[in-house]
Amino acid sequence: MKKSILSVLFPLFVFSSQTYAQFYISLSAGGNYAFFSKEVFTDKMNAGTPLRYMTFDPSGKITPSSFGAGTNFNFTVGGQLSYNISTEITFSYIESNTFSYDSAWTELYGNTIMNNGPITLNDSYHADISASMLRIIPTIKISGGTTRIRPYLKAGLIIKLGGTITENNKLNDFAPGYDLSASSTTIFDGAPSFGFLLGPGCEYKLADYFSVFLEFNMIIQEWTPDYYQLIDNSSSGSILKSYSYPFSSFGFNIGLKYSFGKDKTPIKRTKFPSDPHYDSEHDKL
């Protein structure tokens, strides 16, 4: 599936860079916030089934979240089809925030633990959960504005190249004369994932070859892992009860763009010593 999509997008990208003869690269980074959050339910007693990923506020209310919330780093290669239309391929890596889950309960046992009569066992459970994902995002970019200031709109398809969800948990059982702690790490991976990106931005030209930009984006994506691995006891297997984990987000990126070859514009430019980028007919709009 990935190869068939890229086999269509890559020739389009090569065609764009050759026809308009402007090719560019950019580096950017930014922050994302949870969007389309959901509760992720699990059965903790059945290894390999979906976990319950959520956070607790001070009142104890369950707050759903998304693994799309976090920090992202991007490398983009682009080419122009025309002065207003470009194609881009972005390699994006996201490291999610770490979410915590806490619970506590008591259990009454008979003579099953220490053979000295009934006992009340105080249990507590804590888990820290995070995710990371490498994505490739082919996009179409439509630009407008003047030679120096270029607002734009981007739309693209998100394809997961790799990623994991990691849970580190600890269980404590405590009673007078009895104290037990156990910890484990579970990693979920496997299975493809697809999504969509849409967002506006604005580019400001610093010089003939360099520009800076600020862009906002909305991402719609979910992922259904089909494989798990328990690190502590080296066991692994397929997930029997599949569940789609949220990776949707909205956020921003700040970046630097470098163009190979001077910007080409269909408008005849009138240069003035005070501003080499000024266009008497276009930049005054």
Side-chain angles (χ1 to χ4, degrees), residues 6-270:
L6 293 177
S7 66
V8 175
L9 294 172
F10 185 73
L12 179 62
F13 169 74
V14 173
F15 173 76
S16 70
S17 61
Q18 291 179 345
T19 54
Y20 197 72
Q22 188 180 21
F23 166 74
Y24 59 87
I25 60 174
S26 68
L27 293 172
S28 64
N32 294 338
Y33 303 91
F35 187 58
F36 282 141
S37 300
K38 59 189 289 190
E39 294 181 17
V40 184
F41 182 79
T42 183
D43 177 3
K44 292 287 184 182
M45 302 303 294
N46 189 354
T49 59
L51 303 177
R52 188 179 180 88
Y53 293 141
M54 59 192 65
T55 58
F56 281 87
D57 64 21
S59 67
K61 180 182 178 182
I62 295 175
T63 304
S65 193
S66 170
F67 290 122
T71 305
N72 69 87
F73 304 92
N74 312 286
F75 172 73
T76 298
V77 180
Q80 290 190 241
L81 289 170
S82 68
Y83 183 64
N84 298 107
I85 301 177
S86 307
T87 58
E88 296 182 344
I89 296 178
T90 298
F91 294 89
S92 178
Y93 176 79
I94 180 170
E95 187 74 27
S96 81
N97 296 333
T98 298
F99 304 104
S100 296
Y101 173 85
D102 289 281
S103 60
W105 64 96
T106 59
E107 297 176 271
L108 181 63
Y109 284 89
N111 297 325
T112 57
I113 297 180
M114 295 177 289
N115 295 319
N116 60 351
I119 184 174
T120 299
L121 196 63
N122 298 301
D123 301 313
S124 64
Y125 179 86
H126 174 82
D128 291 318
I129 303 104
S130 62
S132 62
M133 184 178 288
L134 177 63
R135 306 181 278 202
I136 184 171
I137 310 175
T139 60
I140 294 292
K141 177 180 174 182
I142 301 176
S143 305
T146 66
T147 304
R148 173 168 286 186
I149 302 175
R150 304 277 290 165
Y152 58 83
L153 180 67
K154 296 172 68 172
L157 173 67
I158 297 173
I159 305 170
K160 168 185 165 286
L161 295 180
T164 59
I165 298 173
T166 302
E167 181 208 24
N168 297 298
N169 62 64
K170 185 174 183 179
L171 175 65
N172 292 307
D173 294 330
F174 175 78
Y178 179 81
D179 190 0
L180 173 66
S181 296
S183 59
S184 65
T185 298
T186 306
I187 296 179
F188 293 81
D189 59 13
S193 174
F194 301 94
F196 299 95
L197 176 146
L198 179 66
C202 189
E203 179 181 327
Y204 180 79
K205 193 168 187 178
L206 298 174
D208 282 332
Y209 302 101
F210 288 97
S211 302
V212 293
F213 60 88
L214 170 66
E215 61 186 24
F216 300 89
N217 58 70
M218 179 181 67
I219 291 175
I220 306 298
Q221 183 185 16
E222 290 191 343
W223 177 32
T224 307
D226 59 4
Y227 182 82
Y228 77 93
Q229 183 177 9
L230 296 173
I231 302 300
D232 303 82
N233 59 14
S234 300
S235 65
S236 61
S238 299
I239 297 176
L240 301 178
K241 300 177 181 179
S242 61
Y243 191 89
S244 295
Y245 297 95
F247 276 80
S248 299
S249 65
F250 67 93
F252 68 94
N253 291 316
I254 300 174
L256 177 67
K257 171 184 170 183
Y258 178 81
S259 301
F260 296 87
K262 292 185 178 181
D263 186 18
K264 292 189 175 184
T265 170
I267 302 174
K268 184 178 179 180
R269 298 168 65 181
T270 303

